[in-house]
Amino acid sequence: ANEQVSPDGRGWRSGALVEKKEIPQWFFKITAYAQELLDELDNLKDWPDSVKTMQRHWIGRSEGLEIDFALVYSTVAEKLTVYTTRPDTLCGVTFISVAAEHPLAKAAAESNPSLAVALSDLTKGGTAEAEIEKAEKRGVALGISAIHPITGAQVPIWAANFVLMGYGTGAVMAVPGHDQRDWEMASKYGLPITQVIAPADSAAADISAGAFTDYGVCINSGKYDGLAFQAAFDAMAGDLAAVGKATRKVNFRLRDWGVSRQRYWGCPIPMLYRADGSSVPVPLEQLPVVLPENVAFSGVTSPIKSDPNFINYTDPQTGEKLTRETDTFDTFVESSWYYARYCSPGANTMLDARANHWLPIDLYIGGIEHAVMHLLYFRFWHKIMRDVGLVSSNEPATKLLCQGMVVADTYFRQETSDGPKSYFAPTEVQVERDSKGRALSATLLKDGLAVTIGPVEKMSKSKGNGVDPQSMIDKYGADTVRLFSMFAAPPDQSLEWSETGVEGMHRFVKRIWRMVHEHLNANAGAVSEIFDASAASAEQKELRTQLHEAIAKVGRDVGERLNFNTAIAAIMELTNAISKFNDESANARALRQECWQAITLMLAPIAPHLCHRLWQLLGQETLILDQHFPTADAGALLRDDVTLAVQVNGKLRGQITLAKSSANAEIEAAARLAVAKYLEGMAVKKVIVVAGRLVSIVVA
RNA sequence: GCCCGAAUGGCGAAACAGGUAGACGCAGCGGACUUAAAAUCCGCCGGUUGGCUAAAACCACCAUGCCGGUUCGAUUCCGGCUUCGGGCACCA
């Protein structure tokens, strides 16, 4: 695995030099779905844009040209086909680069041992795209030339370490004047660099310092001179197609999905090999092929690779002797359809009709690290299941939420500057703070000596900053822990764990408990009166408006935005407003009862234990679990007055409060009065009234 | 190297379609209650910028990573950076 290769190109445990070898592998043809996977991103309205953008780039659709270069004196093939998205630069081709695994390179190496060595040298280094892109551009001449399809010039063919056999045709035309990788390679090996594109704005491009990669107009390109990108593309495509040397081609960056793994623990790939090496699938009625667990481990390879009981297979009908594939599937295969199987537990087949009944998933939650690989395989597999009739939807999940990690403070000691760090749990440490609450230093409780305050990091065993939620639940209760988890950050951001924050939330829980009891005690039990809006005081009207504004906000935050933190904050604000509401009239008691019932209903999904009990205490005979989320009373949301900010030249200079029904002229007059001292001696150039928000006066 | 994000007080954060920056909470400070402590309640809480001051109140200015732009108005939009995080196909 790439992860097990050290940066020096050796195995992380054995230290052995890593070699690359070609082995037969099974692939899923995800590229056959590339266009659909791309197109349907537009229908995923409730997926984050960042994920959709990453998938678009990953699929990487490009429109280009496949161009044939005739070979000179080659016994292997007549022509070499390259793929390019920049045919406008064709006249700047000074050589051709092929992948080291390209058939042409292999053929050339057959009769040339030193070339074979040089080619295998080229493939040294990692396989990760990041490594290939960052590695020095290297190449080796194959000693073969090709004929430029337009100029007729002979250009040499090289193998290069940055050309991938799996993309396009495994061969690219090299235009060092206008491609940075080609430029670096040409500069290294003294290959010619010519300019065939000039900047569109007729400025000069300096290709001696690096490639000029922008679009521009053709120069030094004969009859194509002066053409811009698209015109040059079309002209080249037309002319070359007419002589059978080019075809338009859409390519995708997306590669087929290699699913073979040489590990034991996995799902065996259900394929059989005939004596002649050809392969057939295991018959449907014999699926699934179950991994044998009664096996003997001997050495480093998977035990089923040498287990005759597993390998040998006799066709029950014909008696033909076959052997089983011993590789197992990539585990991404299973994670691509578990959600569907979960919808039909116990089914004797892969899925039954229940899967289609429940799917697609309403809300799928996972980390952003899965943005391209898992989430693309997942979409691909759903389309496969659709195409074989197992499900009828096109996509597996209608809404996607990418949640953040849980992080916490770290504390450590390091004996020597390059020595190992020993970490301490936040619970073992006492932090000293200055008068503003800034952390100054920390000491270990056990010995009273200093420890270093480290950065806030993802909770992990190695950093010792993990918190067992059970210990917090034991101490504060599950409702408090759940409320804190929801309150500390929106779900798509990382959540910083803080025990003082949990304590603060516990205070809030106790406060609600106490306030409800005070409300009930003042009334000697639950209240039955109904709030009478027509007889309400201004303060009562205000609280009731606040209540229904909170209900509307919490409904939106929880139901649509999934921003539980602001929902809880809105309930806290309402609680603070109730606390300040000192009115013991019957109407006020009825209003308070309405508030507490709504708060209990709104908090019940997050703090079910607390709210279950409070609901009963508030005199309700139903179970709170059976209740609907409260809805705001539109009438209660209307306020008579509105407060507007008044700006002068964009700076806040005053506030006005006036009837909501006020006409713009009235508003403007009130605003001018409120900021009169800023308008003295100035000419008012413009007044902008933003309904319900502010008045902006522009003066000079 | 390429792709996708993020950056706001001492801290976690809020500002939902460009409109009063810092809601809500944590920490801190001051006070009430108490013999005392805990718990609870009340108040303050961006700026070692300037003005007026004994001090405050108050007023002005500055402030959403940095530089520039658009706009009456920018945390929000645009261009250019910096730093941090995620991904780059065998970690899953």
Side-chain angles (χ1 to χ4, degrees):
Chain A
N2 283 341
E3 194 194 28
Q4 295 166 335
V5 181
S6 307
D8 61 357
R10 291 175 182 273
W12 69 337
R13 290 207 187 162
S14 65
L17 262 183
V18 173
E19 308 169 43
K20 274 187 252 178
K21 286 185 180 175
E22 233 178 320
I23 55 174
Q25 307 239 56
W26 291 102
F27 289 81
F28 286 151
K29 201 173 179 183
I30 191 171
T31 52
Y33 286 79
Q35 189 67 53
E36 192 192 339
L37 287 166
L38 182 65
D39 291 342
E40 282 209 62
L41 287 171
D42 296 334
N43 300 329
L44 295 174
K45 302 277 181 261
D46 291 318
W47 278 42
D49 288 334
S50 58
V51 171
K52 289 189 279 189
T53 308
M54 277 190 265
Q55 292 210 351
R56 277 188 196 100
H57 289 271
W58 185 261
I59 294 167
R61 185 183 196 275
S62 67
E63 293 180 11
L65 222 50
E66 277 190 354
I67 301 174
D68 293 339
F69 283 68
L71 294 176
V72 185
Y73 310 124
S74 172
T75 53
V76 185
E78 284 181 4
K79 62 180 187 182
L80 174 62
T81 304
V82 303
Y83 176 74
T84 181
T85 56
R86 289 295 303 271
D88 59 317
T89 64
L90 182 56
C91 292
V93 170
T94 56
F95 62 104
I96 288 175
S97 299
V98 301
E101 304 90 342
H102 194 279
L104 206 57
K106 283 185 175 171
E110 257 169 38
S111 55
N112 184 342
S114 66
L115 179 59
V117 170
L119 283 179
S120 81
D121 240 29
L122 273 190
T123 66
K124 291 244 169 73
T127 55
E129 185 180 325
E131 285 181 67
I132 292 167
E133 288 293 327
K134 280 193 281 196
E136 189 192 5
K137 307 296 172 275
R138 289 182 298 128
V140 53
L142 296 182
I144 313 171
S145 292
I147 296 167
H148 193 289
I150 287 177
T151 65
Q154 289 195 12
V155 291
I157 301 174
W158 286 59
N161 64 343
F162 57 88
V163 180
L164 301 175
M165 192 59 222
Y167 182 75
T169 60
V172 296
M173 59 184 216
V175 186
H178 305 286
D179 181 285
Q180 186 59 26
R181 298 184 307 180
D182 297 339
W183 188 91
E184 285 171 31
M185 182 147 150
S187 300
K188 184 176 169 77
Y189 296 105
L191 293 158
I193 302 175
T194 58
Q195 187 184 352
V196 292
I197 300 292
D201 58 9
S202 75
D206 179 14
I207 61 163
S208 67
F212 173 71
T213 57
D214 294 350
Y215 287 152
V217 292
C218 292
I219 56 169
N220 301 328
S221 301
K223 67 185 244 201
Y224 304 102
D225 281 357
L227 294 182
F229 170 76
Q230 195 58 52
F233 189 122
D234 293 339
M236 296 275 186
D239 292 352
L240 291 172
V243 293
K245 287 184 176 171
T247 41
R248 287 179 184 263
K249 180 80 195 286
V250 170
N251 256 342
F252 294 94
R253 202 185 78 99
L254 181 68
R255 312 207 286 261
D256 280 326
W257 175 13
V259 293
S260 295
R261 297 292 181 271
Q262 295 70 50
R263 65 175 76 187
Y264 159 66
W265 193 253
C267 173
I269 296 173
M271 296 298 293
L272 298 164
Y273 295 99
R274 291 211 162 94
D276 65 1
S278 65
S279 54
V280 289
V282 173
L284 198 59
E285 64 276 10
Q286 292 173 29
L287 295 178
V289 176
V290 176
L291 183 73
E293 295 189 40
N294 183 21
V295 291
F297 287 89
S298 59
V300 297
T301 57
S302 162
I304 61 172
K305 291 192 179 295
S306 52
D307 179 356
N309 293 328
F310 180 75
I311 294 170
N312 295 324
Y313 176 94
T314 306
D315 186 311
Q317 261 108 57
T318 64
E320 182 186 357
K321 304 277 186 203
L322 296 97
T323 55
R324 285 187 191 275
E325 170 64 65
T326 57
D327 279 355
T328 52
F329 277 121
D330 176 6
T331 54
F332 269 130
V333 173
E334 287 83 46
S335 61
S336 295
W337 65 282
Y338 69 99
Y339 66 94
R341 177 69 192 188
Y342 281 6
C343 295
S344 41
N348 289 327
T349 52
M350 179 177 167
L351 302 178
D352 61 28
R354 289 173 295 168
N356 193 49
H357 170 77
W358 291 109
L359 293 173
I361 299 165
D362 301 292
L363 173 62
Y364 192 55
I365 304 177
I368 189 67
E369 70 272 21
H370 292 301
V372 276
M373 301 185 63
H374 164 65
L375 288 173
L376 201 59
Y377 297 146
F378 166 75
R379 296 180 57 219
F380 163 60
W381 197 282
H382 195 85
K383 292 174 191 302
I384 298 280
M385 294 195 297
R386 175 201 62 193
D387 289 350
V388 298
L390 288 169
V391 295
S392 55
S393 41
N394 288 323
E395 288 285 336
T398 43
K399 185 166 183 161
L400 175 68
L401 170 67
C402 292
Q403 98 280 40
M405 299 176 295
V406 182
V407 298
D409 289 321
T410 56
Y411 303 94
F412 65 88
R413 275 185 192 151
Q414 197 171 19
E415 304 303 333
T416 56
S417 62
D418 55 349
K421 291 173 180 168
S422 36
Y423 284 89
F424 303 100
T427 51
E428 301 175 289
V429 170
Q430 169 128 31
V431 180
E432 314 299 327
R433 296 178 185 279
D434 69 9
S435 64
K436 287 197 167 172
R438 265 179 287 232
L440 291 174
S441 62
T443 49
L444 190 63
L445 289 170
K446 201 165 55 189
D447 59 14
L449 300 174
V451 295
T452 306
I453 301 174
V456 174
E457 290 192 66
K458 178 177 171 176
M459 278 192 181
S460 69
K461 240 184 227 176
S462 61
K463 300 281 159 48
N465 60 345
V467 176
D468 176 6
Q470 190 61 50
S471 67
M472 290 287 111
I473 290 168
D474 291 346
K475 198 165 170 186
Y476 300 104
D479 285 347
T480 295
V481 173
R482 287 162 60 113
L483 275 166
F484 172 75
S485 305
M486 295 286 97
F487 179 68
D492 54 352
Q493 281 180 40
S494 61
L495 163 68
E496 189 170 322
W497 196 263
S498 139
E499 188 163 346
T500 53
V502 178
E503 272 174 36
M505 192 52 77
H506 195 55
R507 275 200 284 275
F508 175 63
V509 168
K510 287 188 292 186
R511 182 172 154 92
I512 288 182
W513 181 262
R514 197 179 52 248
M515 286 174 74
V516 169
H517 279 79
E518 281 167 7
H519 161 66
L520 295 172
N521 291 341
N523 301 296
V527 184
S528 57
E529 304 100 298
I530 304 293
F531 177 71
D532 179 359
S534 64
S537 68
E539 289 74 23
Q540 290 169 1
K541 276 187 185 162
E542 175 61 23
L543 179 60
R544 191 149 191 277
T545 301
Q546 287 177 9
L547 165 64
H548 286 271
E549 281 174 347
I551 293 173
K553 177 172 173 57
V554 172
R556 262 196 321 273
D557 285 354
V558 171
E560 295 162 29
R561 302 174 68 212
L562 304 176
N563 278 3
F564 307 103
N565 56 330
T566 51
I568 295 167
I571 296 170
M572 286 174 163
E573 273 186 87
L574 179 60
T575 307
N576 291 342
I578 297 170
S579 169
K580 288 189 170 70
F581 180 67
N582 295 312
D583 183 343
E584 295 306 326
S585 67
N587 213 21
R589 285 203 305 272
L591 174 57
R592 221 179 263 119
Q593 174 79 8
E594 185 185 353
C595 286
W596 286 120
Q597 286 184 16
I599 288 174
T600 310
L601 289 170
M602 290 190 286
L603 279 179
I606 305 174
H609 309 90
L610 172 74
C611 296
H612 171 85
R613 183 64 185 139
L614 291 181
W615 186 248
Q616 290 178 330
L617 292 172
L618 286 163
Q620 306 300 313
E621 281 164 19
T622 54
L623 281 178
I624 198 165
L625 278 173
D626 295 331
Q627 299 304 303
H628 289 285
F629 202 84
T631 47
D633 173 355
L637 290 174
L638 300 174
R639 287 172 188 273
D640 300 332
D641 293 339
V642 62
T643 299
L644 303 178
V646 184
Q647 292 183 342
V648 178
N649 282 352
K651 284 195 159 66
L652 179 67
R653 295 303 187 189
Q655 280 195 336
I656 50 172
T657 299
L658 64 182
K660 202 169 185 176
S661 55
S662 306
N664 271 12
E666 253 179 282
I667 296 171
E668 193 180 319
R672 280 175 184 255
L673 199 62
V675 295
K677 68 169 173 171
Y678 297 97
L679 303 182
E680 255 171 55
M682 306 295 251
V684 174
K685 289 172 65 184
K686 199 155 106 179
V687 178
I688 300 154
V689 178
V690 182
R693 290 279 185 184
L694 55 64
V695 183
S696 183
I697 301 173
V698 187
V699 298

